[in-house]
Amino acid sequence: MIIQNDLLLRAARGEKIERPPVWVMRQAGRVLPEYRATRKIAGSFKSLVTNPELACEVTIQPVDLLGVDAAIIFSDILVIPEALGLPYNMDEGKGPSFDRVIRTAGDVEALSSDNIGEKLEYVTKAISLTKAALSGRVPLIGFAGAPWTIFCYMTEGKGSKEFAVSRRMLIENPELAHALLSKITDATISYLKTQIAAGADLVQVFDSWAGVLNPKLYAEFAIPYLKKICENIDEVPVTVFAKGAWYAFHDLVTLPCATLGLDWHIDPRWARGIAGDRYTLQGNLDPAMLYGSFDQIKKETREMLRNFGTQRHIANLGHGVYPDTNPDNLKCFIETVQSS
Amino acid sequence: MIIQNDLLLRAARGEKIERPPVWVMRQAGRVLPEYRATRKIAGSFKSLVTNPELACEVTIQPVDLLGVDAAIIFSDILVIPEALGLPYNMDEGKGPSFDRVIRTAGDVEALSSDNIGEKLEYVTKAISLTKAALSGRVPLIGFAGAPWTIFCYMTEGKGSKEFAVSRRMLIENPELAHALLSKITDATISYLKTQIAAGADLVQVFDSWAGVLNPKLYAEFAIPYLKKICENIDEVPVTVFAKGAWYAFHDLVTLPCATLGLDWHIDPRWARGIAGDRYTLQGNLDPAMLYGSFDQIKKETREMLRNFGTQRHIANLGHGVYPDTNPDNLKCFIETVQSS
């Protein structure tokens, strides 16, 4: 199927673009009243994730309502631990948690990275439905968590400010850590390939907890697994978004991926100076800026666009949109990019 | 009183040192069984903070037990909101919280930055007792939270990953934000001066939540207040530790302070390249590295020392020591610096 608005894909491939494409992390989410209505029908977050029809519905909402240049499949990075054999809970207002965590070599061996596609059929089904419903209007983005970030949840068992349990394991038992990271990586590659086979036009890998490591640990425990994923996905462009990993940016620009995501702390001119035109850069307006007036949002967005330059840029926020953002302010951000 | 081991003060003033002084953030804390015993006697964290005799006791413990080159008074940065009129709770395992938060200009006006020294007499009393008990063995460090970090707690009302409520206020109501930040700054200056009058030999300002802002917001809402504090404290050397503020490092090196603290994400060589020999740098071993073997700790510590250079360095971790660290491993870190 021909994609009518293919700005995102052209930007990722480094082809000439008339203006940067724009989409927003967490665009399919609580910021939209329409999402909250569908979420209510689903009953719980996990019911929404595992229901292909409803997941498709919330994936399409921002395309219809906000006019973004890409859809991103509604799902969660924690479906991978669950498919490996470690189910997660998602409690309202409390974030994710696990009843069991990984501590021993036996725990790692008990995980199975076989048949990931079948175990996560609800995601591939949601992708197929969404592709049909989009009928080529905009590209569909698939995604997964980065191995280090998934490792964090599987060892710490819940969100954390510092993930000291996870980091302790890297230092006390590096062999065990590498075994678990390898298993997660294999499962992630299978999973992304299944998403691509179902219709994902681009895939993004979220390293949400990159920011807790130090340069040496990131080079040893994160970069090689990101590299393996990038090397094994050649069907579609890959985006790597390592939040808080400015300190590892010189390593990130060695990855064989198309696009690097930037969080809102990074000056785009600094990143461009290092990445040059070998990478497309994605980001990075501070999501808190959407609490401002339309005038402020327009001013900050235009400044961001100037700092990235007109080519090899995918406009986005520097992190997920905050749920209490006024959807009109989000729309102002999107329209400012689109009229640039 | 003459200080016998004045390495810390000489390092801060940029004078020649035979080796770097070493102390550890949260050295007076749960890592020591002796601290946990005193904490049990106190009954609660706040009872320990407000009891000068017990606060003195836990302040001295790491000097006696770990042999650090400086003591840091046992207290909490949240005594300032409390002195301003916003009491805090400290719940075991849950972190700090506030029953009321600041939302309006009236809320800010109701805060009083008068008589801070009297309201926080328990801190100055603890400092006097500690100075007497130390009898000049090592210098005593006083401290306070940075205005932005205190602002975070007073507006968000509790710890948070992103402090979206606090950041929203900066953008929606910058006048209110500046009014609150000014009041906190005035109280902080009085407080630090009281600590110095009671005997603090050096003061450190902790900007623990610097990492959630962006370069422009940090320049507008954090740097000017840090600058005012540094300009008003000329009795003793001032250290500014802005955790996660690598993105603002070029602004931090304009502050009229003696020392800049570095978190564990920053390569000391990068910081030295920018700060030159105009600032003493403090830090920055990853606290998770203390989960390693003695050999690993020695290797990593020596590498850190090499990266800082032999002068204008105060050795420390890049953040507070984790409570589940083996005290022998912490001692290994300290002794490795001291035998360098």
Side-chain angles (χ1 to χ4, degrees):
Chain A
M1 190 187 295
I2 288 173
I3 293 174
Q4 290 136 47
N5 173 350
D6 65 347
L7 270 176
L8 178 86
L9 302 177
R10 282 192 280 139
R13 290 190 299 247
E15 296 169 15
K16 193 164 165 51
I17 45 173
E18 304 81 62
R19 60 154 179 93
V22 57
W23 68 279
V24 176
M25 288 184 276
R26 295 205 189 276
Q27 64 187 19
R30 280 188 289 160
V31 67
L32 292 177
E34 292 80 0
Y35 167 88
R36 295 198 297 267
T38 310
R39 164 81 177 64
K40 210 169 168 186
I41 292 167
S44 74
F45 178 83
K46 278 190 85 169
S47 308
L48 184 50
V49 166
T50 52
N51 182 319
E53 286 76 21
L54 296 182
C56 165
E57 188 176 307
V58 297
T59 301
I60 304 278
Q61 283 170 353
V63 179
D64 291 338
L65 300 164
L66 300 170
V68 285
D69 296 311
I72 179 164
I73 193 67
F74 182 82
S75 188
D76 195 274
I77 61 170
L78 297 181
V79 300
I80 279 291
E82 188 154 288
L84 284 166
L86 211 67
Y88 71 103
N89 315 306
M90 187 64 84
D91 300 324
E92 198 70 44
K94 278 182 63 186
S97 67
F98 287 82
D99 295 332
R100 288 182 294 123
V101 290
I102 302 298
R103 286 287 174 274
T104 67
D107 293 341
V108 176
E109 274 161 38
L111 300 171
S112 166
S113 55
D114 297 338
N115 308 319
I116 293 294
E118 288 159 42
K119 290 176 194 158
L120 297 178
E121 210 185 348
Y122 57 85
V123 181
T124 46
K125 194 147 177 233
I127 290 177
S128 307
L129 288 175
T130 306
K131 281 297 284 184
L134 282 173
S135 56
R137 279 190 287 164
V138 293
L140 178 62
I141 302 170
F143 73 91
W148 160 247
T149 289
I150 299 299
F151 177 97
C152 281
Y153 285 107
M154 293 178 79
T155 53
E156 196 93 23
K158 57 180 195 294
S160 160
K161 237 166 27 191
E162 316 223 295
F163 287 97
V165 172
S166 309
R167 287 154 68 211
R168 180 173 196 146
M169 196 178 287
L170 300 186
I171 291 155
E172 279 191 341
N173 202 338
E175 295 76 17
L176 179 63
H178 281 300
L180 178 52
L181 287 162
S182 293
K183 211 147 195 175
I184 296 168
T185 303
D186 292 344
T188 303
I189 293 169
S190 302
Y191 179 46
L192 290 173
K193 284 193 177 288
T194 312
Q195 292 187 44
I196 294 163
D201 301 296
L202 180 153
V203 292
Q204 175 155 330
V205 180
F206 287 89
D207 209 356
S208 309
W209 297 112
V212 300
L213 291 180
N214 68 46
K216 283 172 72 171
L217 293 181
Y218 201 76
E220 181 177 351
F221 293 100
I223 290 286
Y225 301 102
L226 288 170
K227 188 158 177 264
K228 189 170 178 194
I229 292 172
C230 295
E231 281 170 350
N232 279 277
I233 303 291
D234 48 14
E235 302 88 342
V236 301
V238 177
T239 300
V240 173
F241 176 48
K243 181 167 181 283
W246 63 275
Y247 64 81
F249 199 70
H250 282 91
D251 285 330
L252 289 166
V253 295
T254 66
L255 292 176
C257 65
T259 303
L260 293 170
L262 306 184
D263 63 42
W264 73 89
H265 306 299
I266 294 183
D267 185 328
R269 294 166 294 187
W270 175 84
R272 186 66 81 193
I274 296 167
D277 58 4
R278 294 172 296 132
Y279 289 88
T280 297
L281 299 176
Q282 176 173 279
N284 80 338
L285 192 74
D286 184 344
M289 287 299 169
L290 299 188
Y291 293 135
S293 64
F294 285 175
D295 278 351
Q296 283 175 298
I297 295 168
K298 284 179 197 167
K299 185 173 161 286
E300 296 290 334
T301 303
R302 285 179 190 140
E303 185 179 327
M304 175 198 79
L305 292 171
R306 274 197 305 278
N307 288 341
F308 273 105
T310 59
Q311 300 298 312
R312 293 220 84 154
H313 178 215
I314 297 167
N316 205 315
L317 301 179
H319 196 211
V321 59
Y322 296 135
D324 61 347
T325 303
N326 183 333
D328 289 337
N329 289 21
L330 182 54
K331 215 163 171 173
C332 174
F333 165 69
I334 293 162
E335 290 175 352
T336 305
V337 176
Q338 292 178 334
S339 62
S340 70
Chain B
M1 189 188 297
I2 287 173
I3 293 174
Q4 291 135 47
N5 173 350
D6 65 347
L7 269 177
L8 178 86
L9 302 176
R10 282 191 281 138
R13 292 189 298 246
E15 296 169 17
K16 195 167 163 50
I17 46 174
E18 306 80 63
R19 62 156 177 91
V22 56
W23 68 280
V24 176
M25 289 184 275
R26 295 205 188 278
Q27 65 186 17
R30 281 187 288 160
V31 67
L32 292 176
E34 293 80 359
Y35 166 88
R36 295 197 295 268
T38 311
R39 163 80 176 66
K40 209 170 168 184
I41 293 165
S44 74
F45 178 84
K46 278 189 84 168
S47 309
L48 184 50
V49 167
T50 53
N51 182 319
E53 286 76 18
L54 296 182
C56 165
E57 189 176 306
V58 296
T59 301
I60 303 277
Q61 282 169 353
V63 179
D64 291 339
L65 300 165
L66 300 169
V68 285
D69 295 311
I72 178 163
I73 193 68
F74 181 82
S75 188
D76 195 275
I77 61 169
L78 297 181
V79 300
I80 279 290
E82 187 153 291
L84 284 166
L86 210 67
Y88 71 103
N89 315 305
M90 188 64 86
D91 301 324
E92 198 70 45
K94 278 182 62 186
S97 67
F98 287 83
D99 294 332
R100 288 182 294 123
V101 291
I102 303 297
R103 286 287 175 274
T104 66
D107 292 341
V108 177
E109 274 161 38
L111 301 171
S112 167
S113 55
D114 297 338
N115 308 318
I116 292 295
E118 289 160 41
K119 290 176 194 159
L120 297 178
E121 210 185 349
Y122 57 85
V123 182
T124 46
K125 196 150 176 232
I127 290 177
S128 307
L129 289 175
T130 305
K131 281 297 284 183
L134 282 173
S135 57
R137 280 189 287 163
V138 294
L140 177 62
I141 303 171
F143 72 91
W148 161 246
T149 289
I150 298 299
F151 176 96
C152 280
Y153 285 107
M154 293 178 80
T155 52
E156 196 91 24
K158 57 182 194 296
S160 160
K161 238 167 23 193
E162 316 222 295
F163 287 98
V165 172
S166 309
R167 287 153 69 212
R168 180 174 195 144
M169 195 178 288
L170 301 186
I171 291 156
E172 280 191 341
N173 202 338
E175 295 77 17
L176 178 63
H178 281 300
L180 178 52
L181 287 162
S182 292
K183 211 148 195 174
I184 296 168
T185 302
D186 292 344
T188 303
I189 292 169
S190 302
Y191 179 47
L192 290 173
K193 284 193 176 288
T194 312
Q195 292 187 46
I196 294 163
D201 300 296
L202 179 153
V203 292
Q204 175 155 330
V205 180
F206 287 88
D207 208 355
S208 309
W209 297 113
V212 300
L213 290 180
N214 68 47
K216 283 172 73 172
L217 292 181
Y218 201 77
E220 181 177 351
F221 293 99
I223 290 287
Y225 301 102
L226 289 170
K227 187 158 177 264
K228 190 170 178 191
I229 291 171
C230 295
E231 281 170 350
N232 278 278
I233 304 292
D234 47 15
E235 302 89 340
V236 300
V238 177
T239 299
V240 174
F241 176 48
K243 181 167 179 284
W246 63 275
Y247 65 81
F249 199 70
H250 281 92
D251 284 330
L252 289 165
V253 294
T254 66
L255 292 176
C257 65
T259 303
L260 293 170
L262 306 185
D263 63 43
W264 72 89
H265 306 299
I266 293 183
D267 185 329
R269 295 166 293 186
W270 175 85
R272 186 66 80 193
I274 296 167
D277 59 3
R278 294 173 295 135
Y279 289 88
T280 297
L281 299 177
Q282 177 173 278
N284 76 341
L285 192 74
D286 183 344
M289 287 299 170
L290 299 189
Y291 294 134
S293 65
F294 286 174
D295 278 351
Q296 283 175 297
I297 294 168
K298 284 177 196 168
K299 185 173 162 285
E300 295 290 334
T301 303
R302 285 177 190 142
E303 185 180 326
M304 175 197 78
L305 292 171
R306 274 197 306 278
N307 288 340
F308 274 104
T310 59
Q311 299 298 312
R312 291 221 82 154
H313 178 214
I314 297 167
N316 205 314
L317 301 179
H319 196 210
V321 59
Y322 295 134
D324 62 346
T325 303
N326 183 333
D328 290 336
N329 289 21
L330 182 53
K331 216 164 171 173
C332 174
F333 165 69
I334 293 162
E335 290 174 352
T336 304
V337 176
Q338 292 177 335
S339 63
S340 69

